[in-house]
């Protein structure tokens, strides 16, 4: 696909989501949550290009959500909460990244998981600050000085999530096509070759890691403003597992994968929980298993192959 075709397809998808939210009002919340998670999955997409999987990426989602909650007590302005939370995640990602980029494969993944669980434990234990498992509720917010209430809040946050998804999708697409993105692929195949060429693999991976933390931070801020409640569960290992699940479900070979996977995941979970409340995890697991067995490229790869078959036919 050309860049123009990708841009048109992305805009068409954005319009489709907005029309769906208008036609079915209760989906506004679900779609906003899905898009917020897709922002974090964009970061996983970057790391997967280098052959690394973070099983603790929810750390940055939760960190940004709590940063937004604490900041909202002082300045309840959405346009301030978003960059503050994103920058906080990026800075922590830089500090953590300096350590974890020294490792590869399972060690990289498990170190991220361990750090995420440490953060989860701190959120639980410091009850006087974080309110433990009860979580923290965000106060009423404003957007450009206007109160975020009712239907206005739903539309503003959904449109904000759509704009961020389009923006970060374009950024990731450009990044992967740049020399830095090509170097990420080199880490996956022959890292030693990169070093011989004078390209420091650790710096390349660190840059991608910090960008991934920044995008997850934006997702965490949107999630916090949408749900108006943050709990330690956001940093739990299952939350990180969901992000990896979404990356595989949508397809890690394209920037469309995170959004498609996140929307499909949230819609499947909502309907599965409504129809089979006690076994919705089984349904999600079965969907993932079918995708892995019959569509290794994820939902995006499946749709792309169907379109190519129609063209050849």
């Amino acid at each position: 696909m050309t860049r123009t075709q990708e841009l048109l397809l992305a805009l068409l998808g954005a319009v489709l989501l907005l029309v769906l939210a208008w036609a079915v009002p209760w989906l506004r919340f679900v779609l906003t949550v899905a898009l917020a998670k897709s922002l974090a999955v964009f970061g996983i997409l970057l790391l997967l290009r280098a052959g690394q999987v973070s099983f603790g990426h929810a750390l940055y989602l939760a960190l940004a959500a709590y940063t937004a909650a604490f900041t909202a007590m002082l300045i309840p302005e959405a346009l301030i909460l978003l960059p503050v939370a994103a920058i906080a995640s990026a800075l922590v990602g830089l500090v953590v990244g300096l350590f974890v980029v020294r490792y590869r494969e399972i060690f990289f993944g498990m170190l991220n998981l361990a750090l995420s669980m440490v953060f989860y434990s701190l959120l639980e234990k410091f009850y006087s600050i974080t309110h433990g498992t009860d979580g923290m509720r965000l106060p009423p917010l404003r957007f450009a000085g206007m109160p975020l209430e009712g239907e206005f809040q739903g539309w503003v946050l959904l449109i904000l999530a759509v704009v961020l998804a389009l923006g970060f999708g374009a950024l990731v697409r450009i990044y992967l096509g740049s020399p830095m993105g090509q170097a990420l692929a080199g880490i996956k195949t022959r890292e030693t070759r990169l070093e011989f060429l004078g390209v420091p693999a650790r710096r390349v991976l660190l840059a991608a890691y910090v960008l991934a933390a920044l995008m997850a931070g934006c997702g965490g801020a949107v999630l916090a403003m949408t749900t108006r409640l943050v709990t330690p569960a956001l940093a739990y290992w299952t939350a990180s597992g969901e992000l990896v699940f979404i990356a595989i479900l949508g397809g890690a070979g394209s920037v469309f994968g995170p959004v498609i996977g996140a929307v499909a995941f949230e819609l499947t979970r909502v309907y599965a929980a409504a129809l089979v409340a006690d076994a919705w995890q089984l349904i999600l697991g079965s969907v993932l298993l079918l995708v892995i067995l019959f569509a290794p490229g994820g939902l995006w790869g499946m749709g792309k192959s169907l379109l190519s078959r129609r063209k050849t036919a």
Side-chain angles (χ1 to χ4, degrees):
M1 294 180 68
T2 64
R3 287 193 177 183
T4 303
Q5 289 175 327
E6 287 180 344
L7 177 61
L8 291 174
L9 186 59
L11 292 174
L12 180 62
V15 171
L16 182 61
L17 287 177
L18 293 174
V19 170
L20 185 61
W22 172 77
V24 188
W26 66 266
L27 278 180
R28 240 176 269 146
F29 176 84
V30 176
L31 292 176
T32 306
V33 169
L35 289 172
K37 290 183 179 180
S38 74
L39 300 180
V41 180
F42 278 124
I44 290 180
L45 182 68
L46 280 181
L47 298 177
L48 284 174
R49 183 57 63 95
Q52 311 305 316
V53 182
S54 173
F55 294 114
H57 205 57
L59 163 65
Y60 303 106
L61 197 75
L63 177 66
Y66 271 90
T67 300
F70 282 114
T71 307
M73 295 178 182
L74 303 173
I75 311 172
E77 170 58 55
L79 293 177
I80 293 177
L81 298 182
L82 182 65
V84 167
I87 291 170
S89 289
L91 290 175
V92 173
L94 176 61
V95 174
V96 172
L98 288 170
F99 174 67
V100 299
V101 296
R102 299 170 180 269
Y103 301 89
R104 297 292 181 270
E105 298 175 350
I106 190 63
F107 303 102
F108 178 89
M110 296 309 291
L111 275 171
N112 279 284
L113 174 61
L115 291 169
S116 178
M117 290 306 295
V118 168
F119 185 60
Y120 167 78
S121 299
L122 291 174
L123 293 175
E124 267 201 333
K125 300 301 180 185
F126 288 94
Y127 185 87
S128 59
I129 301 174
T130 64
H131 300 165
T133 54
D134 293 336
M136 294 180 61
R137 187 167 292 280
L138 274 71
L141 303 176
R142 297 192 300 268
F143 185 87
M146 296 180 289
L148 276 177
E149 296 175 349
E151 196 170 329
F152 177 69
Q153 175 182 346
W155 279 114
V156 166
L157 293 176
L158 175 59
I159 292 171
L160 178 63
V162 168
V163 170
L164 287 172
L166 288 172
F168 281 129
L171 177 62
V172 170
R173 174 70 175 81
I174 295 169
Y175 190 91
L176 291 177
S178 69
M180 289 289 283
Q182 297 299 319
L184 278 176
I187 293 175
K188 183 179 180 179
T189 52
R190 291 290 177 89
E191 185 174 339
T192 308
R193 229 176 246 184
L194 280 180
E195 297 290 349
F196 281 144
L197 291 171
V199 180
R202 288 183 183 176
R203 289 186 185 178
V204 171
L205 186 56
L206 177 61
Y209 191 86
V210 173
L211 180 56
L214 175 72
M215 291 188 289
C218 288
V222 173
L223 197 61
M225 291 187 289
T226 302
T227 60
R228 297 278 299 278
L229 177 69
V230 295
T231 67
L234 289 172
Y236 199 54
W237 68 269
T238 53
S240 296
E242 281 185 6
L243 300 179
V244 177
F245 184 113
I246 290 169
I248 297 171
L249 180 63
S254 170
V255 292
F256 293 104
V259 176
I260 294 172
V263 172
F265 175 83
E266 289 299 325
L267 290 177
T268 302
R269 178 157 70 173
V270 167
Y271 282 106
L275 295 173
V276 192
D278 296 329
W280 63 269
Q281 295 98 332
L282 176 63
I283 295 176
L284 283 175
S286 301
V287 170
L288 180 61
L289 184 61
L290 290 172
V291 168
I292 291 172
L293 291 175
F294 301 107
L299 296 177
W300 168 250
M302 188 190 304
K304 200 173 178 181
S305 63
L306 287 174
L307 286 175
S308 61
R309 285 178 188 175
R310 285 187 179 181
K311 286 181 180 180
T312 54

